[in-house]
Amino acid sequence: MKNELNALIMEAMKNHDSVRTESLRAIKGAFLNWQTSKENAGKELTEADEIQLIKKMVKQRAESVEQYIAAGRKELADAEQAQIDVLEEFLPKAATDQDILHTFSQVKEANGWVAEKKNMGLFVKAIKAALPNADGKLVAQVVQNQLA
């Protein structure tokens, strides 16, 4: 994604789109920080790592939006929201309830697990592995509704 980011940054700069340029540079910086950190020394940045980093960036900006709105600073909240919109372009479409239910059925059949509360952790872990783009809270909620 690194080469793609460089091309997108250049394009955004040519179009004088400062929000997009700033957001793309933030992504590039987060990737570079991850690669140069001590705990990731020698590791290759995977697509899953990239998605996780971008999700973290979106979450941080969403928290900033809430704080700006609470402080009555709508113009700052709008600027953060604009960056969120750019960042979300790089995230896969989030899994829906139906996707999670379908995966729940597949996991249940494939592993022969019984739909009981004691197996909730197994189901949640398996579904999150199968659907990395699923929200953890939503997975837990859907699984809990399916268990006896």
Side-chain angles (χ1 to χ4, degrees):
M1 184 183 259
K2 188 176 180 181
N3 292 333
E4 180 184 345
L5 270 176
N6 288 332
L8 291 171
I9 290 170
M10 294 298 270
E11 181 182 329
M13 289 171 63
K14 287 178 184 176
N15 294 332
H16 302 288
D17 188 346
S18 61
V19 172
R20 188 167 181 78
T21 303
E22 184 179 337
S23 300
L24 294 171
R25 283 182 174 163
I27 293 171
K28 184 177 177 182
F31 290 175
L32 186 60
N33 286 339
W34 185 92
Q35 289 175 322
T36 58
S37 68
K38 288 182 182 179
E39 65 254 10
N40 298 320
K43 290 184 184 176
E44 193 66 33
L45 184 66
T46 65
E47 186 176 341
D49 294 327
E50 291 173 350
I51 290 170
Q52 201 61 33
L53 287 169
I54 295 172
K55 279 184 178 180
K56 182 179 178 183
M57 295 171 70
V58 168
K59 184 178 178 185
Q60 290 170 338
R61 282 158 179 76
E63 290 170 358
S64 295
V65 167
E66 290 176 17
Q67 291 174 355
Y68 288 141
I69 290 173
R73 301 293 308 266
K74 185 172 176 4
E75 70 283 356
L76 294 174
D78 291 344
E80 290 290 321
Q81 186 59 52
Q83 284 197 8
I84 290 172
D85 294 341
V86 173
L87 293 172
E88 286 179 339
E89 292 176 20
F90 294 92
L91 294 175
K93 183 180 162 235
T96 64
D97 292 9
Q98 294 302 320
D99 295 333
I100 296 169
L101 279 172
H102 179 71
T103 305
F104 177 86
S105 298
Q106 288 179 328
V107 166
K108 183 179 171 187
E109 288 177 28
N111 296 306
W113 293 339
V114 179
E116 295 177 342
K117 292 225 185 259
K118 69 179 184 177
N119 292 334
M120 182 169 174
L122 296 172
F123 280 109
V124 169
K125 187 174 182 179
I127 292 170
K128 286 176 73 174
L131 299 172
N133 58 335
D135 178 53
K137 289 181 183 177
L138 182 59
V139 170
Q141 183 182 18
V142 169
V143 169
Q144 190 170 22
N145 291 339
Q146 296 301 308
L147 300 178

